[in-house]
Short mmCIF file of all heavy atoms in Angstrom, two decimals:
data_model
loop_
_atom_site.label_atom_id
_atom_site.label_comp_id
_atom_site.label_asym_id
_atom_site.label_seq_id
_atom_site.Cartn_x
_atom_site.Cartn_y
_atom_site.Cartn_z
N ILE A 208 -7.10 -5.39 23.29
CA ILE A 208 -8.52 -5.80 23.82
C ILE A 208 -8.62 -5.05 25.24
O ILE A 208 -7.95 -5.56 26.12
CB ILE A 208 -8.60 -7.25 23.89
CG1 ILE A 208 -8.39 -7.98 22.49
CG2 ILE A 208 -10.00 -7.62 24.37
CD1 ILE A 208 -8.36 -9.49 22.46
N MET A 209 -9.34 -4.04 25.25
CA MET A 209 -9.44 -3.22 26.41
C MET A 209 -10.44 -3.80 27.34
O MET A 209 -11.61 -3.55 27.30
CB MET A 209 -9.72 -1.74 26.02
CG MET A 209 -8.90 -1.08 24.96
SD MET A 209 -9.56 0.64 24.71
CE MET A 209 -11.07 0.42 23.97
N ASP A 210 -10.02 -4.58 28.25
CA ASP A 210 -10.97 -5.38 29.21
C ASP A 210 -10.78 -4.92 30.58
O ASP A 210 -9.69 -4.60 30.95
CB ASP A 210 -10.77 -6.86 28.86
CG ASP A 210 -11.98 -7.71 29.34
OD1 ASP A 210 -13.13 -7.10 29.57
OD2 ASP A 210 -11.78 -8.91 29.62
N TYR A 252 -10.09 -2.36 20.66
CA TYR A 252 -11.47 -2.93 20.71
C TYR A 252 -12.24 -2.33 21.69
O TYR A 252 -12.01 -2.51 22.92
CB TYR A 252 -11.14 -4.52 21.06
CG TYR A 252 -12.18 -5.58 20.72
CD1 TYR A 252 -13.30 -5.33 19.78
CD2 TYR A 252 -12.08 -6.81 21.16
CE1 TYR A 252 -14.24 -6.11 19.55
CE2 TYR A 252 -13.05 -7.90 20.76
CZ TYR A 252 -14.11 -7.48 19.94
OH TYR A 252 -14.97 -8.36 19.61
N ALA A 253 -13.27 -1.58 21.24
CA ALA A 253 -14.04 -0.72 22.07
C ALA A 253 -15.37 -1.36 22.36
O ALA A 253 -15.99 -1.05 23.42
CB ALA A 253 -14.14 0.68 21.53
N PHE A 254 -16.02 -1.96 21.34
CA PHE A 254 -17.31 -2.53 21.53
C PHE A 254 -17.48 -3.68 20.62
O PHE A 254 -17.37 -3.48 19.38
CB PHE A 254 -18.43 -1.36 21.33
CG PHE A 254 -19.74 -1.80 21.80
CD1 PHE A 254 -20.07 -1.72 23.24
CD2 PHE A 254 -20.70 -2.39 20.96
CE1 PHE A 254 -21.45 -2.04 23.53
CE2 PHE A 254 -22.00 -2.64 21.40
CZ PHE A 254 -22.41 -2.57 22.73
N SER A 255 -17.81 -4.83 21.10
CA SER A 255 -17.90 -6.06 20.17
C SER A 255 -19.48 -6.21 19.74
O SER A 255 -20.42 -5.72 20.32
CB SER A 255 -17.50 -7.27 20.83
OG SER A 255 -18.32 -7.69 21.90
N ASN A 258 -21.33 -7.38 22.56
CA ASN A 258 -21.55 -6.47 23.66
C ASN A 258 -22.95 -5.96 23.59
O ASN A 258 -23.42 -5.32 24.70
CB ASN A 258 -20.57 -5.41 23.70
CG ASN A 258 -19.16 -5.80 24.22
OD1 ASN A 258 -18.16 -5.29 23.81
ND2 ASN A 258 -19.07 -6.69 25.13
N ARG A 261 -25.39 -6.72 26.54
CA ARG A 261 -25.38 -6.28 27.78
C ARG A 261 -26.70 -5.52 28.16
O ARG A 261 -27.36 -5.01 27.26
CB ARG A 261 -24.14 -5.30 28.01
CG ARG A 261 -22.87 -6.13 27.83
CD ARG A 261 -21.63 -5.42 28.27
NE ARG A 261 -20.50 -6.20 28.16
CZ ARG A 261 -19.32 -6.03 28.64
NH1 ARG A 261 -19.19 -4.86 29.25
NH2 ARG A 261 -18.32 -6.70 28.52
N ARG A 378 -3.93 -7.94 25.70
CA ARG A 378 -5.15 -7.94 26.39
C ARG A 378 -5.02 -7.59 27.91
O ARG A 378 -4.12 -8.02 28.39
CB ARG A 378 -5.83 -9.29 26.23
CG ARG A 378 -7.25 -9.34 26.87
CD ARG A 378 -8.21 -10.51 26.66
NE ARG A 378 -9.46 -10.30 27.22
CZ ARG A 378 -10.57 -10.74 26.59
NH1 ARG A 378 -10.60 -11.40 25.53
NH2 ARG A 378 -11.73 -10.51 27.22
N ARG A 384 -8.15 -15.02 26.34
CA ARG A 384 -9.03 -15.23 25.18
C ARG A 384 -8.96 -14.19 24.26
O ARG A 384 -8.59 -12.94 24.60
CB ARG A 384 -10.27 -15.74 25.54
CG ARG A 384 -10.98 -14.77 26.46
CD ARG A 384 -12.59 -15.15 26.75
NE ARG A 384 -13.20 -14.42 27.69
CZ ARG A 384 -13.33 -14.54 28.92
NH1 ARG A 384 -12.86 -15.81 29.42
NH2 ARG A 384 -13.99 -13.78 29.77
N SER A 386 -11.82 -13.36 22.31
CA SER A 386 -13.21 -12.75 22.07
C SER A 386 -13.51 -12.15 20.81
O SER A 386 -14.09 -10.97 20.64
CB SER A 386 -13.31 -11.67 23.24
OG SER A 386 -13.13 -12.25 24.55
C1 LIG B 55 -14.01 -8.11 24.64
O1 LIG B 55 -14.26 -7.92 26.02
C2 LIG B 55 -14.54 -6.92 23.93
C3 LIG B 55 -14.04 -5.68 24.17
C4 LIG B 55 -13.04 -5.27 24.82
C5 LIG B 55 -14.73 -4.48 23.46
P1 LIG B 55 -15.46 -8.66 26.68
O2 LIG B 55 -15.55 -8.41 28.12
O3 LIG B 55 -16.76 -8.34 25.93
O4 LIG B 55 -15.16 -10.24 26.34
P2 LIG B 55 -15.59 -11.50 27.14
O5 LIG B 55 -17.08 -11.53 27.29
O6 LIG B 55 -14.92 -11.54 28.48
O7 LIG B 55 -15.07 -12.68 26.33
#
Side-chain angles (χ1 to χ4, degrees):
I208 302 174
M209 307 184 290
D210 197 17
Y252 202 7
F254 194 85
S255 72
N258 288 148
R261 295 194 179 190
R378 182 167 185 144
R384 57 176 171 259
S386 302

